[in-house]
Amino acid sequence: MLEVAPAYLSDTDAANVLAPLCEQIGEPLEHGLAARRYALTGDRRALHGTVL
């Protein structure tokens, strides 16, 4: 997810960039954003409630 939406993008900009990718791979946008948050922070709590 960080390749598509690098860390310097805001959450809103990242959502706009990740939406087409998530749709293409069949994942909800929320899961893509959670994976990006986890990649940025390394905090597993970012994945709470998300099955990847």
Side-chain angles (χ1 to χ4, degrees), residues 25-49:
I25 64 174
E27 285 292 325
L29 178 58
E30 184 61 35
H31 290 184
L33 290 171
R36 180 178 179 268
R37 283 191 301 271
Y38 174 66
L40 287 170
T41 65
D43 189 347
R44 294 187 65 137
R45 292 177 292 179
L47 299 174
H48 180 71

Side-chain angles (χ1 to χ4, degrees), residues 3-27:
E3 286 185 29
V4 176
Y8 62 83
L9 292 178
S10 69
D11 288 343
T12 303
D13 291 339
N16 292 334
V17 172
L18 288 176
L21 172 66
C22 289
E23 184 177 324
Q24 183 179 14
I25 64 174
E27 285 292 325

